[in-house]
């Protein structure tokens, strides 16, 4: 132990021993006998004095007398023990405080984490609140859209009811028109009887029609029951106005009906020999073109098909909607009739002039009422002059429609007023159109345009191709076209 603590404790002991009540200092270091004598009132035998000396800074070791060493040493150990105890207690308290501080630090860390999680939770709650608000707004918009949709459904329902009422009205009108057609059929029958009288037949002789087409395909290309549609024709006019008919002339008409103001694709260049020459001149778009064959006296307008099989096809006949009446006389079929951008017949004279320019081939395109298209192609095609009745000359057949035209090969053209067929009667009269009839034949592409395919008629007078659909199936669309053989 260093000397400075010893000097300090010595000074404290001297001060305590010399303090005697309030008068002065008296040495507290007395023997037990002296204290007993003092308590009995006896005078002490010896007196001891304590002197206070000024405090001085002790710089070196202090040597104490041997007589007081035992007491000082005892006091120092007690004090040291007390100090040690105090230090141990303070150490324990320090450790306790450290533990408390560690616990508090952990608590502080946990509090920080909790605060951070709280902030995250607040952000998440805010996000969820915004999503909920957005969802509420969206549901409100959906409610508005649903209300609008309900309004449209109500409007559509009202429109459907209106259309149903209109449909019933149309059914009534159709029934009345059917009655008119039936009445006209009776009148037509009477007129046919009178026509037979004009041609030298006896009135009491029964009307014998041509033999029916015997070819009946396995699959008739129609999805409706057989014999469900009524006759859609009127012999006085082409077709009823309700179906958008333009109304052709009577069977005695003879002029080609061309529009003065043409619409759609029309080339003012030319004239060309045929549509192949127009294509070679750079006109690759299908449309109306002006042609003038080599031996023709005047040009003519035709429809050129440039998008089928490399193009260059000249359309000589077109059927698509029944808007033109094909029950015409000889002059009409010779010069042509109809509308170039719709239904038309180019004319026997024009077809003859085109065919004698070179070698041509014929393509017949057929479309049924379910949207299927088939074709029949013949390797060669031309007509003989009018003196031979524009006799048909065909080559070999290929295609997927069936060969229903070869039976007409080598036959002259027949109309209502010029009978050139092999039948005892007039095939044009029974089939209601001009054609290269045999007796009467397997094809009638200039017949009556019936809706729906399968039709009901006393004679086979529809637009039929026997090898595709049979004689009682009328095609929806037909195109006959020619092209030079390359």
């Amino acid at each position: 132990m260093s000397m400075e603590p010893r000097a300090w404790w010595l000074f404290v002991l001297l001060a305590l021993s010399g303090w005697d009540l309030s008068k002065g200092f008296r040495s507290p270091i007395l023997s037990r006998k002296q204290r007993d004598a003092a308590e009995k009132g006896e005078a002490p035998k010896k007196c001891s004095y304590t002197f206070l000396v000024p405090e001085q800074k002790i710089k070196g070791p202090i040597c104490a007398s041997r007589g007081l060493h035992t007491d000082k040493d005892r006091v120092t150990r007690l004090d040291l023990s007390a100090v040690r105890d105090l230090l141990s207690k303070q150490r324990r308290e320090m450790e306790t405080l450290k533990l408390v501080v560690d616990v508090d630090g952990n608590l502080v860390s946990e509090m920080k984490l909790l605060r951070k999680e709280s902030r995250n939770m607040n952000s998440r709650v805010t996000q969820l609140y915004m999503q909920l608000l957005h969802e509420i707004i969206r549901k409100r918009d959906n409610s508005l859209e649903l209300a609008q949709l309900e309004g449209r459904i109500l409007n559509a329902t009202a429109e459907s009811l209106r259309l149903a009422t209109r449909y019933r009205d149309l059914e009534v009108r159709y029934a009345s028109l059917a009655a008119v057609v039936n009445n006209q059929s009776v009148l037509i029958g009477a007129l046919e009887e009178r026509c037979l009288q004009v041609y030298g037949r006896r009135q009491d002789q029964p009307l014998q029609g041509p033999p029916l087409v015997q070819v009946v395909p396995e699959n008739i290309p129609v999805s409706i029951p057989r014999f469900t549609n009524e006759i859609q024709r009127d012999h006085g006019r082409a077709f009823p106005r309700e179906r958008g008919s333009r109304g052709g002339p009577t069977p005695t008409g003879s002029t080609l009906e061309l529009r003065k103001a043409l619409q759609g694709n029309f080339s003012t260049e030319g004239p060309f020999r045929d549509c192949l020459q127009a294509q070679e001149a750079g006109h690759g778009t299908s449309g109306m073109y002006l042609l003038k064959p080599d031996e023709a006296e005047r040009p003519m307008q035709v429809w050129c098909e440039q998008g089928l099989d490399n193009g260059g096809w000249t359309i000589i006949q077109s059927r698509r909607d029944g808007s033109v009446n094909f029950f015409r006389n000889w002059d009409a079929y010779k010069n042509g009739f109809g509308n170039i951008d719709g239904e038309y017949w180019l004319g026997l004279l024009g077809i003859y002039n085109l065919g004698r320019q070179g070698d041509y081939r014929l393509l017949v395109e057929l479309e049924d009422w379910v949207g299927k298209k088939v074709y029949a192609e013949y390797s060669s095609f031309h007509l003989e002059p009018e003196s031979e009745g524009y006799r048909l000359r065909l080559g070999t057949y290929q295609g997927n429609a069936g060969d229903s035209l070869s039976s007409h090969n080598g036959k002259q053209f027949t109309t209502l007023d010029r009978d050139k067929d092999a039948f005892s009667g007039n095939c044009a009269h029974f089939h209601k159109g001009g054609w290269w009839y045999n007796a009467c034949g397997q094809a009638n592409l200039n017949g009556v345009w019936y809706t729906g395919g399968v039709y009901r008629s006393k004679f086979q007078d529809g637009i039929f191709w026997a090898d595709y659909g049979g004689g009682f199936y009328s095609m929806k669309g037909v195109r006959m076209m020619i092209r030079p053989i390359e």
Side-chain angles (χ1 to χ4, degrees), residues 266-272 281 283 288-291:
F266 176 69
S267 174
T268 57
E269 299 184 14
F272 305 100
H283 300 280
M288 290 177 284
Y289 290 84
L290 193 64
L291 303 185

Side-chain angles (χ1 to χ4, degrees), residues 51-62:
F51 296 93
L52 295 174
V53 294
E55 183 181 358
Q56 59 181 358
K57 187 174 182 181
I58 302 173
K59 297 182 179 179
I62 299 176

Side-chain angles (χ1 to χ4, degrees), residues 67-128:
L68 297 175
H69 179 71
T70 302
D71 294 335
K72 290 181 180 179
D73 187 39
R74 180 178 59 79
V75 172
T76 300
R77 282 197 302 270
L78 293 175
D79 292 337
L80 288 175
S81 179
V83 170
R84 288 192 189 96
D85 294 338
L86 180 61
L87 289 175
S88 299
K89 183 179 180 181
Q90 290 179 352
R91 189 178 295 110
R92 288 192 299 271
E93 292 178 354
M94 288 290 291
E95 292 176 356
T96 304
L97 289 175
K98 185 181 293 184
L99 293 175
V100 172
V101 169
D102 292 338
V103 173
D104 291 343
N106 294 332
L107 292 175
V108 170
S109 299
E110 291 180 359
M111 287 296 295
K112 289 182 179 179
L113 292 175
L114 289 175
R115 288 179 180 176
K116 185 175 181 180
E117 291 180 359
S118 177
R119 288 193 295 269
N120 294 335
M121 289 297 294
N122 291 335
S123 301
R124 180 59 179 169
V125 168
T126 303
Q127 183 180 2
L128 291 175

Side-chain angles (χ1 to χ4, degrees), residues 460-474:
Q460 293 174 327
D461 54 1
I463 305 173
F464 68 84
W465 188 268
D467 287 270
Y468 188 78
F472 281 102
Y473 186 89
S474 183

Side-chain angles (χ1 to χ4, degrees), residues 195-216:
C195 287
L196 291 177
Q197 291 180 359
V198 172
Y199 283 97
R201 295 175 180 266
R202 293 181 302 175
Q203 186 174 1
D204 56 351
Q205 183 180 0
L207 184 63
Q208 297 293 332
L212 299 179
V213 174
Q214 299 300 320
V215 179
V216 179

Side-chain angles (χ1 to χ4, degrees), residues 234-252:
D234 186 341
H235 292 273
R237 296 167 57 184
F239 295 94
R241 291 185 181 273
E242 287 76 4
R243 291 175 29 207
S245 172
R246 299 172 189 170
T250 62
T252 58

Side-chain angles (χ1 to χ4, degrees), residues 148-315:
Q148 295 176 358
L149 181 60
E150 290 177 351
R152 289 197 293 268
I153 291 174
L154 292 176
N155 294 334
T157 304
E159 183 67 17
S160 299
L161 294 175
R162 188 182 66 82
L163 291 177
T165 304
R166 185 179 178 185
Y167 177 75
R168 287 192 293 270
D169 295 339
L170 290 176
E171 283 184 340
V172 174
R173 294 179 61 186
Y174 177 78
S176 62
L177 290 175
V180 172
V181 169
N182 291 331
N183 294 333
Q184 289 180 348
S185 298
V186 176
L187 179 60
I188 290 171
L191 292 176
E192 288 175 349
E193 296 278 342
R194 296 182 61 182
C195 287
L196 291 177
Q197 291 180 359
V198 172
Y199 283 97
R201 295 175 180 266
R202 293 181 302 175
Q203 186 174 1
D204 56 351
Q205 183 180 0
L207 184 63
Q208 297 293 332
L212 299 179
V213 174
Q214 299 300 320
V215 179
V216 179
E218 296 180 359
N219 298 319
I220 297 178
V222 67
S223 58
I224 60 176
R226 191 173 175 85
F227 303 123
T228 57
N229 53 321
E230 298 292 338
I231 297 176
Q232 302 290 328
R233 61 188 172 95
D234 186 341
H235 292 273
R237 296 167 57 184
F239 295 94
R241 291 185 181 273
E242 287 76 4
R243 291 175 29 207
S245 172
R246 299 172 189 170
T250 62
T252 58
S254 61
T255 57
L256 180 64
E257 302 164 10
L258 297 178
R259 297 181 180 179
K260 294 182 179 180
L262 293 172
Q263 302 294 331
N265 297 328
F266 176 69
S267 174
T268 57
E269 299 184 14
F272 305 100
R273 295 178 65 249
D274 51 30
C275 290
L276 180 60
Q277 188 183 48
Q279 183 189 42
E280 293 173 349
H283 300 280
T285 304
S286 299
M288 290 177 284
Y289 290 84
L290 193 64
L291 303 185
K292 187 177 183 300
D294 294 338
E295 302 297 330
E297 297 180 357
R298 56 188 179 88
M300 57 184 177
Q301 287 179 337
V302 301
W303 185 274
C304 291
E305 177 58 54
Q306 309 291 16
L308 179 66
D309 191 20
N310 298 324
W313 294 97
T314 302
I315 307 298

